[in-house]
């Protein structure tokens, strides 16, 4: 069973094509894995194994006829709870929301269904996706499979936990300040946030992206062929692309790669993380890249401005809720949001304008380098029941300083494992590329994965490990 769970999407498709493994047989292996691990990590929402069996059976019949729907036919996958699927309520991670079945599939769900993916569950997130944590007022506490006392990060918390626990090969998260990359870093996954608009999202707002979270770079690349098809519902949706998403070879000779070890504000990267990132940079240098230290793009004024804007915006979203529903919001988030009531419209706009300053700073940096390496996360790990690495609603964004600028600049960025701490927790390396050059980030990530061999042993549930 473990051997099958280690297979990549490319390997699974090869076995389906050869008719030596069926999607139904593979799903049954994944289902047993979930039964063994889910009671401990609680990654899933709206888990429907009966529907998954039906989808896998239909996929099996298509493969027997040599008539698969698309590149994901028969591949088990999850979607973050915030990504609507028709007929399933979208609680937004909070007990404050009334549970109304979604009327339509969001763009991502529609594309994956068109290509035959076996969507077997949604994955958990914190209230309104506003935390880097598995803590929620609606969902059970999600935990990190590497150490159940530790946090998987967020807001794509359940996606990260499910990926690291090997609940199939593909999990889709969303990211507005690091919510794909941060949990990927803390769980050892590859998390890819593409250029703004490359994967259409609905609803869209400033900086909000979606991306695949996988154990292998190839799996994310394969998924991008499906996920990147345009959708009119996202006004930033990019035109159709003709990328060969699996063309991942790259010549690094002469490429200028910046190394950013200081985010400019927020929590400083811990020594183990700095050491791991510097070791990763040396790998790129050995392959012929020119490694250059670069200054941070973020300032305290930018981060505080973003904080004010997001507080004001979020308070506007929840101010009209009845008091009894607002009181159900996670206290940490409510405490942070209610300060937005005192922020004037002028100050909120000034805060928003700091996102433009981030964009300018990122653009200026990329006039001097071809890519940037940095830590993904500044800390190795933190407690499972904490809302964030500071656990302080007055300092909610101190841990996103390496990741959030690239959302505002609309540039592609990924997190890939670059080692482990002395405590045994994964460490993430962030790789950032120029706007719209998603392939460069994937190619650099694939090169690094090839050099290191990737993560060789993933967590096992106690029942399977004994």
């Amino acid at each position: 069973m473990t051997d099958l769970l280690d297979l990549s999407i490319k390997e699974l498709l090869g076995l389906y094509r050869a008719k030596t493994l069926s999607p139904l047989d593979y799903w049954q292996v994944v289902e047993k894995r979930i039964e063994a691990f889910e009671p401990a990590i609680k990654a899933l929402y709206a888990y429907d194994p009966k529907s998954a069996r039906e989808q896998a059976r239909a996929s099996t019949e298509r493969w027997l006829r040599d008539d698969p729907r698309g590149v994901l036919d028969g591949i088990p996958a999850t979607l973050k709870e915030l990504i609507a699927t028709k007929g399933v309520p979208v609680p937004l991670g909070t007990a404050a929301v009334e549970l109304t079945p979604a009327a339509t599939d969001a763009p991502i769900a529609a594309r994956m269904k068109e290509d035959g993916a076996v969507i077997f569950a949604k994955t958990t997130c914190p209230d309104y996706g506003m935390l880097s944590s598995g803590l929620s007022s609606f969902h059970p506490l999600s935990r990190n499979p590497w150490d159940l006392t530790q946090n998987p990060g967020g807001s794509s918390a359940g996606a990260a936990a499910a990926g690291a626990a090997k609940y199939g090969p593909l999990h889709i998260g969303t990211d507005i300040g690091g919510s794909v990359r941060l949990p990927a870093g803390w769980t050892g996954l590859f998390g890819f946030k593409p250029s703004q608009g490359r994967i259409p999202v609905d609803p869209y707002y400033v900086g909000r992206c979606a991306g695949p979270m996988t154990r292998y770079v190839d799996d994310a690349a394969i998924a991008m062929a499906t996920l990147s098809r345009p959708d009119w519902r996202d006004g930033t949706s990019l035109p159709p692309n003709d990328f060969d998403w699996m063309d991942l070879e790259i010549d690094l000779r002469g490429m200028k790669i910046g190394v950013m070890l200081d985010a400019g504000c927020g929590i400083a990267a811990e020594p183990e993380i700095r050491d791991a990132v510097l070791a990763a940079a040396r790998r790129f240098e050995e392959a012929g890249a020119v490694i250059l230290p670069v200054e941070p793009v973020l300032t305290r004024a930018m981060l505080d401005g973003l904080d004010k804007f997001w507080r004001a915006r979020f308070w506007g979203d929840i101010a009209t809720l009845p008091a009894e529903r607002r009181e159900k919001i996670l206290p940490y988030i409510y405490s942070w949001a209610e300060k937005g009531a005192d922020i004037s419209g002028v100050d909120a706009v000034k805060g928003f304008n700091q996102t433009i300053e981030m964009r300018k700073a990122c653009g200026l940096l990329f006039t001097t380098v071809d890519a940037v390496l940095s830590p993904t996360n500044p800390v190795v790990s933190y407690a499972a029941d904490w809302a964030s690495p500071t656990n302080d609603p007055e300092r909610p964004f101190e841990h996103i300083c390496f990741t959030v600028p690239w959302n505002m600049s609309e540039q592609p960025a990924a997190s890939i494992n670059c080692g482990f701490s002395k405590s045994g927790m994964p460490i993430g390396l962030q790789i950032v590329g120029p706007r719209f050059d998603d392939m460069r980030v994937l190619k650099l990530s694939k090169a690094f994965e090839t050099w290191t061999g990737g993560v060789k042993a993933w967590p096992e549930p106690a029942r399977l490990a004994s």
Side-chain angles (χ1 to χ4, degrees):
M1 180 166 68
T2 300
D3 290 343
L4 288 177
L5 290 171
D6 287 334
L7 295 176
S8 67
I9 292 176
K10 185 177 181 180
E11 290 168 329
L12 286 168
L13 294 175
L15 294 176
Y16 294 170
R17 192 171 294 110
K19 300 179 177 57
T20 55
L21 177 70
S22 76
L24 181 58
D25 288 341
Y26 179 67
W27 164 251
Q28 289 171 338
V29 172
V30 174
E31 186 173 333
K32 289 180 181 178
R33 179 71 167 194
I34 293 168
E35 290 173 1
F37 225 149
E38 183 61 11
I41 63 171
K42 301 189 185 308
L44 305 182
Y45 161 69
Y47 174 46
D48 191 347
K50 180 180 178 182
S51 171
R53 286 182 219 119
E54 292 170 354
Q55 294 175 64
R57 189 173 289 110
S59 175
T60 296
E61 292 172 358
R62 290 192 293 273
W63 279 105
L64 287 172
R65 298 194 306 268
D66 293 319
D67 188 28
R69 282 185 183 169
V71 296
L72 296 181
D73 204 335
I75 301 300
T78 67
L79 303 177
K80 188 175 180 178
E81 181 249 274
L82 301 180
I83 301 169
T85 51
K86 186 177 180 179
V88 179
V90 183
L92 304 177
T94 180
V97 168
E98 294 186 27
L99 297 179
T100 303
T104 59
D105 287 325
I108 293 164
R111 299 296 87 76
M112 292 179 69
K113 287 181 180 180
E114 288 166 3
D115 277 7
V118 176
I119 300 174
F120 62 89
K122 312 294 280 293
T123 50
T124 63
C125 67
D127 293 52
Y128 299 96
M130 290 301 296
L131 296 178
S132 290
S133 175
L135 188 62
S136 163
S137 65
F138 178 83
H139 299 294
L141 179 64
S142 297
R143 296 177 180 272
N144 194 321
W146 292 94
D147 181 340
L148 298 179
T149 71
Q150 298 301 291
N151 211 297
S155 61
S156 304
K166 299 198 290 192
Y167 290 9
L170 178 60
H171 308 274
I172 311 301
T174 61
D175 187 318
I176 192 173
S179 289
V180 161
R181 289 156 291 155
L182 291 167
W186 277 312
T187 57
L189 296 176
F190 178 67
F192 181 49
K193 182 204 80 69
S195 300
Q196 185 70 57
R198 185 68 69 199
I199 297 176
V201 296
D202 181 38
Y204 163 78
Y205 46 86
V206 175
R208 184 173 188 242
C209 299
M213 302 171 71
T214 60
R215 294 192 308 280
Y216 307 106
V217 175
D218 281 357
D219 287 355
I222 288 173
M224 286 301 298
T226 297
L227 298 171
S228 64
R229 293 203 290 271
D231 192 293
W232 65 268
R233 289 174 286 179
D234 182 347
T236 71
S237 179
L238 296 177
N241 64 77
D242 58 359
F243 302 159
D244 178 356
W245 288 98
M246 296 306 294
D247 179 13
L248 298 178
E249 295 294 322
I250 189 169
D251 183 355
L252 282 92
R253 288 174 295 182
M255 182 178 288
K256 294 180 180 178
I257 299 181
V259 177
M260 184 185 295
L261 296 175
D262 176 6
C265 54
I267 302 170
E270 293 176 345
E272 284 185 285
I273 293 173
R274 288 173 60 94
D275 290 347
V277 170
L278 285 171
R282 286 193 289 272
R283 293 268 197 165
F284 286 93
E285 188 172 42
E286 291 165 1
V290 178
I291 300 298
L292 306 168
V294 296
E295 296 299 312
V297 291
L298 196 68
T299 66
R300 173 53 60 181
M302 292 176 188
L303 189 65
D304 289 348
L306 187 66
D307 186 8
K308 282 188 176 181
F309 168 63
W310 276 351
R311 286 188 201 232
R313 182 191 181 282
F314 187 59
W315 182 253
D317 288 344
I318 66 172
T320 57
L321 289 176
E324 64 271 17
R325 299 205 74 84
R326 284 206 309 268
E327 290 170 2
K328 295 181 179 182
I329 297 172
L330 197 71
Y332 178 102
I333 292 178
Y334 190 82
S335 175
W336 167 77
E338 66 179 347
K339 303 289 176 59
D342 300 324
I343 296 172
S344 70
V346 170
D347 284 342
V349 170
K350 286 180 179 178
F352 174 79
N353 286 344
Q354 290 298 325
T355 68
I356 308 301
E357 296 304 310
M358 288 186 215
R359 180 191 290 262
K360 289 167 61 177
C362 295
L364 179 60
L365 173 58
F366 268 79
T367 64
T368 63
V369 296
D370 301 308
V372 168
L373 306 178
S374 80
T376 304
N377 322 82
V379 300
V380 165
S381 65
Y382 57 103
D385 59 356
W386 279 25
S388 75
T390 64
N391 208 32
D392 180 355
E394 291 308 307
R395 298 191 305 136
F397 302 136
E398 302 299 300
H399 59 288
I400 67 173
C401 298
F402 285 111
T403 53
V404 71
W406 314 114
N407 291 77
M408 301 306 134
S409 67
E410 303 187 356
Q411 291 174 235
S415 179
I416 190 167
N417 180 259
C418 66
F420 289 83
S421 68
K422 292 177 182 175
S423 60
M425 300 303 289
I427 295 173
L429 169 72
Q430 184 175 226
I431 302 175
V432 186
R435 189 171 177 226
F436 304 135
D437 200 347
D438 304 87
M439 291 305 302
R440 184 177 305 184
V441 173
L442 288 173
K443 289 178 179 183
L444 291 170
S445 300
K446 178 63 176 180
F448 186 74
E449 181 184 61
T450 300
W451 301 330
T452 64
V455 177
K456 296 176 178 62
W458 293 89
E460 294 292 335
R463 205 169 77 194
L464 292 182
S466 60

